Amino acid sequence: MLKRTSKWLAFAALAMLAAFGVTACGSDSKTSTTSDAKGQTVGFLYVGPKNDFGYNQAAYEGSLEVAKNIPGTKLIQAENVPETSEASRVMEKMIKDGATTIFATSYGHLQPMLAVAKKYPNVTFEHQGGVKSGANVGSYFGQIYEAQYLTGMAAGLATKSNKLGYVVAVPIPQTLLNVNAFELGAKSVNPKAKTTVVFTGSWCDPAKQKEAADTLIQGGADVLSQHQDCTKTIVETTEKAGAMSVGYHADASSLAPNGWLTGSVWNWGPLYTDIVKTIGEGKWKGSKYDADYRVGFADSDIIKLAPFGTAVTPEIKKQVLAKQKEMKSKDFYPFEGPVVDQSGKTQIPTGQNPSPTDLEKTDYLVEGVVGKIPTSSK
């Protein structure tokens, strides 16, 4: 009886997998396929799980809009894909399964993607946050540091201790740029505000995240932000401690009903959809997506502020939204000089306004940030 039951369960499990089009990749990464309609087949790689309240969830939700907006699109999704040769294997599997467009959404997927792109010149590759480096490779990203400046304003206005905390994954230009924007925003409304950083060395390690959050809170920080892929642990730890949260990547306000301020979130759906449409129409080559495409508040809605929480006063909301309006009308740029680093050196002279490409080379922390960039990674 037991044997027969096991066989039935195994058959039922296979039937369910077939029904949902789910296939295993033979590793920790997990691939799933949605829609069997005829049309473009598009692959998406994520470095973490699709329900992380963060980077991967935002990208996954954006991918679903592609299938919704372009009838006949077939999606091949792969979660938990390491930034190693495993990413190459997953991409080649997607191509074998019919993918003609591949989105590699993690910073560390760039090198594997470039290697695969050389082998498959008829497949179009788009990298999220990298730089173009191939005939069939494009890149895209949003100037989310603009939103981080605004969330820094909210934090600077809400803090009682003038001590802000920031849990950072690894010291790459994008993370440093966001920390700097956050501190500059906070200091613009509260000159006493200082942001202490803790680097975890990982994009998603809940144990290290909790340890970092606890350290910052015990040090007096009453508002915490972060640049991690998965955000849940830090938001929950902060809420439990009675401190305030600024989210990142995706709206995690449901995790912090008392201490949520706002957050910087991605709205990838419209951009992903337009890229896939452009490719499908045979217009990708020479388009804005066949390059290093970067946009901010003024030109796109791919970055947004998360809803304001109950911890935000009407005056805080008024000031933040007023500054956002200035950004949208190109009357204000977060990194217009002078910008001074921790050592007192002027990094951006008075009146200069670096391009997004130049800002993505950031390798310093601004004055007012407490903590150092891990030297082993510089």
Side-chain angles (χ1 to χ4, degrees), residues 62-374:
S63 76
L64 297 183
E65 287 197 39
V66 177
K68 177 182 177 182
N69 295 332
I70 307 177
T73 299
K74 179 180 177 181
L75 299 180
I76 304 177
Q77 310 269 20
E79 304 173 65
N80 302 310
V81 181
E83 297 169 326
T84 64
S85 58
E86 170 66 2
S88 301
R89 190 193 69 78
V90 171
M91 282 184 270
E92 295 207 53
K93 177 68 165 57
M94 287 177 169
I95 294 168
K96 183 179 179 182
D97 291 342
T100 54
T101 298
I102 291 180
F103 288 79
T105 64
S106 185
Y107 192 85
H109 287 156
L110 178 61
Q111 293 306 319
M113 188 195 73
L114 293 176
V116 176
K118 287 182 179 178
K119 294 176 62 177
Y120 299 93
N122 294 325
V123 176
T124 304
F125 295 81
E126 285 282 347
H127 188 264
Q128 193 158 294
V131 292
K132 174 181 171 60
S133 184
N136 55 336
V137 176
S139 81
Y140 59 91
F141 210 58
Q143 296 161 203
I144 202 164
Y145 55 81
E146 295 179 352
Q148 284 298 89
Y149 185 97
L150 299 177
T151 64
M153 288 180 62
L157 290 166
T159 180
K160 305 300 181 187
S161 66
N162 298 321
K163 294 181 179 180
L164 314 176
Y166 209 118
V167 182
V168 192
V170 295
I172 62 174
Q174 287 174 10
T175 61
L176 303 179
L177 189 58
N178 283 340
V179 171
N180 290 344
F182 184 80
E183 169 59 19
L184 290 175
K187 195 160 55 178
S188 72
V189 294
N190 179 356
K192 294 181 180 179
K194 292 185 180 299
T195 301
T196 299
V197 292
V198 173
F199 291 85
T200 63
S202 169
W203 291 109
C204 184
D205 186 327
K208 290 183 178 178
Q209 290 177 342
K210 186 177 188 312
E211 182 181 1
D214 285 340
T215 298
L216 290 166
I217 292 169
Q218 289 165 10
D222 60 356
V223 182
L224 261 61
S225 186
Q226 60 179 293
H227 191 148
Q228 299 277 318
D229 275 0
C230 55
T231 69
K232 186 172 184 284
T233 298
I234 294 172
V235 175
E236 288 183 333
T237 301
T238 304
E239 180 76 357
K240 188 176 180 181
M244 294 172 278
S245 283
V246 165
Y248 191 62
H249 292 316
D251 179 11
S253 56
S254 62
L255 302 175
N258 297 314
W260 180 262
L261 294 179
T262 182
S264 305
V265 299
W266 297 106
N267 177 36
W268 290 119
L271 178 63
Y272 289 165
T273 299
D274 198 43
I275 290 175
V276 174
K277 278 185 177 178
T278 302
I279 294 169
E281 293 169 355
K283 299 177 179 177
W284 181 84
K285 196 68 176 178
S287 74
K288 59 187 177 184
Y289 303 126
D290 173 21
D292 298 320
Y293 182 62
R294 301 291 187 270
V295 285
F297 277 127
D299 305 304
S300 171
D301 62 351
I302 69 169
I303 55 171
K304 291 186 173 183
L305 283 176
F308 290 103
T310 56
V312 176
T313 66
E315 179 58 27
I316 292 175
K317 184 176 179 180
K318 178 182 176 182
Q319 290 195 45
V320 170
L321 292 180
K323 188 60 68 179
Q324 184 185 37
K325 186 176 181 181
E326 289 182 38
M327 290 182 185
K328 287 185 175 180
S329 61
K330 299 186 178 182
D331 291 325
F332 177 78
Y333 298 92
F335 286 95
E336 183 170 334
V339 173
V340 178
D341 69 17
Q342 288 177 307
S343 70
K345 179 183 177 182
T346 297
Q347 290 286 348
I348 304 174
T350 301
Q352 287 193 12
N353 184 26
S355 69
T357 302
D358 287 338
L359 287 173
E360 289 183 6
K361 300 172 185 172
T362 296
D363 62 355
Y364 60 89
L365 292 171
V366 298
E367 187 177 50
V369 176
V370 180
K372 298 297 181 183
I373 300 171

